[in-house]
Amino acid sequence: MHSEATLSRLTLHALTVRHVGPVDLDIAPGECVCLSGPSGAGKSLLLRAVADLEPHTGSAVLDGQTCHDAKPYLWRRWVGLLPAESAWWCETVGEHFEHPREDWFQALGFAPAVSEWTIARLSTGERQRLGLLRLLCNGPRALLLDEPTASLDPTAVRQVEHLIGEYRREHACPILWVTHDPAQIERVADRTLLIEDGRVEPA
Amino acid sequence: MHIQQLSSLDLGIAALLVIALAGLSLALRLGIERRLLIAGARTAVQLTLIGLVLKALFANVALVWVALMAFVMLAAAGREATARQRLRFAGFWGYGLGTLSMFISSFSVTVFALIAIISHHPWYEPQYAIPLLGMMLGNTMNGVALGLDRLTLSAREQRGAIEARLMLGHQAHEAVRTITRDAMRVGLVPIMNAMAAAGIISLPGMMTGQILAGAAPVEAVKYQILIMFMIAAGTGFATLAAVSLGSRRLFDERQRLRLDRLKDTGD
């Protein structure tokens, strides 16, 4: 499906956004790097800069393609950012999906009828899981996850971690994952970074 | 054609009505009496001054004076349209966006009407040009201010949804499409309502004025229809231009949503 993504490597060269950075980071294909640190340290800001939603200096490179040389909408499609709070603009769930994958919906505990549900009736946890599904169905070549399991119960947390793990194996996709949960870091991380006072260092 | 002349005493009696309203506001502690009286005084002074300016313009018909007057009116309309937006673009764009849109739309529609429809010689005859442009600017100003206000407030409110769409690979114009459509619709609502109500619920001001001044009702109606169509087109084009330019200004060259380009006036 995304054969060109098998060698995806995400590299940041002196990436600086407001008080955060410069950050130099190389995430190998299929590697999961967890990022933690106190609130306000700039974790979300860093992810937004990599996704090119914030003006920044330095550069991000995916598969040899520099962010600034890629068309903005293509770059954002490649580096999928999952924000901490998901946002919706159409009335029903199904309208937000171009290529829904039923097996993934089932993996996160949703019946096929979920596409008919209105957004207004979704709980916070359902929104978060559906936000992840919406992102994965868009076929990103790298993942930037901002606390993707923050409002989920333990069962849903495991389901989400499992699905992300599967996507990562299938697509050899580099992941930058913000989390505060040491147990989760233990389960998913290949490497952990700590962000403090705008500096990113190995934990 | 006989016009019933109004004396200063007649206007003074009319002013008593406003003073009575101010008195009522004072008695009921509504707190609007001061603003009401200042607004009333401004009406009297501004209209008297414009009367004198028009008198001078009518006596010396020259394109340069008409153009100067038109640009002064445009500058004032631009300032007013900017002041009416709670969340406006910072710097030059706050004033420039609305003013440029009004300039393109109001001036072209007015000049078109003067040359192609009214066909008076010279085409810039101030008796026609200034009142038509004034009505155009007054209405387009409303449309532009309402449209831009809705655009910027919605962009701030729906930032999450706009950025979520950007993240899924939508282009900037797709990500704000629902907002821009809504803002354009909001800008056009007043003139569409006015057209729908004209003659049934309300007798429009210009027509009423002409009839009061002794014009034949059917002639007055024709002018009113002309001005309604001009205003609808002018407001529509200006609002579309302002919202369209504004929605571009919301994003930078990398299609990032730049809410830092907006300034909250807190009004």
Side-chain angles (χ1 to χ4, degrees), chain B residues 225-258:
Chain B
I225 293 173
L226 169 72
I227 196 76
M228 281 290 205
F229 288 170
M230 279 176 64
I231 288 173
T235 307
F237 295 142
T239 308
L240 297 190
V243 170
S244 166
L245 288 172
S247 66
R248 282 164 193 262
R249 180 69 191 155
L250 283 173
F251 296 91
D252 63 15
E253 74 290 351
R254 294 293 302 169
Q255 301 196 6
R256 305 178 190 112
L257 181 63
R258 297 295 298 273

Side-chain angles (χ1 to χ4, degrees), chain B residues 92-93 136 138 173 187 203 236 245:
Chain B
F92 163 78
W93 289 98
M136 287 293 293
H173 67 271
L203 286 183
L245 288 172

